[in-house]
Amino acid sequence: MVTRKDLAVLIDEETLQSRILELGKQIAADYEGKDLALIGILKGCFMFLADLSRAIERDCTVDFLGLSSYGAATTSSGVVKITSDLTRPIEGRDVLVVEDIIDTGLTMRYLLENLGTRRPNSVRVCTLLHKPANARCEVPIDYVGFTIEDHFVIGYGLDYAERLRNIPYIGYKP
Ligand code: IMP
C-alpha cells in the first residue's frame, strides 16, 4: 500500500503548468484553420486535459474514450479494452489524442488502429509523460510533455490501484 506520504516529487506543479502552457501554444499554432477534436483517454488524462485544453486558445471540441490496460497491477498486461466510447463521430475531424503516459505503447497502438477505422482527417498524439525504457512497440508521438526514467509515477491523474489520482504533482515511491 502506497500513501501520499510515501511519495517523492518527480515533477512539481509549477514545472507541469509551465510546460503545459508551452504545449498549448504550440498545438494552437499547429491546428490553425483545422477542425480540432481533443480526445482524452480516461481516466488518467482528466487533470492534464483540463489544463491543456485551457492552454489551447482556439476553438475545439472535447470528448473522452475510456480504455484500460491495467487491473490493480502496476505492470502492463498488454490487454486493452474500451470501457466507454466517444459520444460523437470523428469522421473528417483533426483528432488530437491526449494521454497521461505512454509506457509500453500497447494502449496507444490499439487506440490508433481503432481511431483510424473511423475515418478522421488526421490523428496526432499528445502525451504528458513518455517512459521510453519500457517501449514494446513503435508509436508515433507528436507532442511530449516530459520524457521520464523508468519510475512508476503517481498523481496528476495517474493512479496507484485507483488511488492518489488527485495529487497535484507527479510523484513516485523512491
Ligand atoms: P502502456 O499501454 O503500457 O503504454 O500504458 C498506458 C497506460 O498505462 C497509461 O494510460 C496509464 O493508465 C498506465 N500507466 C503506465 N505507466 C504508468 C505509471 O507509471 N503510473 C500510472 N499508470 C501508468
Side-chain angles (χ1 to χ4, degrees):
M1 178 73 181
V2 177
T3 70
R4 57 171 67 208
K5 283 192 236 115
D6 302 321
L7 298 182
V9 178
L10 185 68
I11 308 172
D12 64 29
E13 288 179 69
E14 201 185 324
T15 310
L16 282 171
Q17 295 305 329
S18 76
R19 179 70 185 122
I20 291 168
L21 283 181
E22 282 175 8
L23 284 173
K25 282 204 176 80
Q26 193 188 339
I27 291 165
D30 292 353
Y31 282 85
E32 189 63 50
K34 305 232 180 208
D35 183 18
L36 175 59
L38 297 178
I39 295 183
I41 308 308
L42 293 171
K43 301 173 192 169
C45 78
F46 79 98
M47 267 193 212
F48 177 42
L49 183 54
D51 288 334
L52 181 69
S53 60
R54 282 178 287 191
I56 300 173
E57 293 187 1
R58 50 155 294 120
D59 189 34
C60 65
T61 60
V62 177
D63 205 347
F64 295 94
L65 197 63
L67 284 190
S68 101
S69 69
Y70 289 94
T74 58
T75 53
S76 179
S77 62
V79 178
V80 180
K81 67 172 189 221
I82 292 190
T83 54
S84 79
D85 207 348
L86 298 175
T87 60
R88 294 274 188 280
I90 52 167
E91 186 167 351
R93 313 273 325 268
D94 293 296
V95 169
L96 182 62
V97 178
V98 179
E99 176 65 295
D100 51 0
I101 185 165
I102 296 182
D103 183 18
T104 62
L106 294 171
T107 305
M108 192 53 70
R109 183 177 65 177
Y110 168 83
L111 183 63
L112 292 175
E113 274 170 25
N114 182 294
L115 293 177
T117 65
R118 305 180 195 210
R119 307 205 303 179
N121 185 49
S122 67
V123 182
R124 285 184 182 173
V125 174
C126 175
T127 186
L128 178 64
L129 305 174
H130 183 213
K131 217 172 6 172
N134 292 332
R136 280 172 56 190
C137 58
E138 286 247 333
V139 284
I141 310 176
D142 302 281
Y143 305 95
V144 178
F146 303 89
T147 299
I148 62 168
E149 305 280 307
D150 188 14
H151 296 294
F152 187 81
V153 285
I154 298 166
Y156 197 71
L158 291 146
D159 70 309
Y160 180 84
E162 287 301 325
R163 296 183 176 273
L164 304 173
R165 291 189 194 275
N166 57 326
I167 286 176
Y169 56 86
I170 303 283
Y172 69 103
K173 189 167 179 296

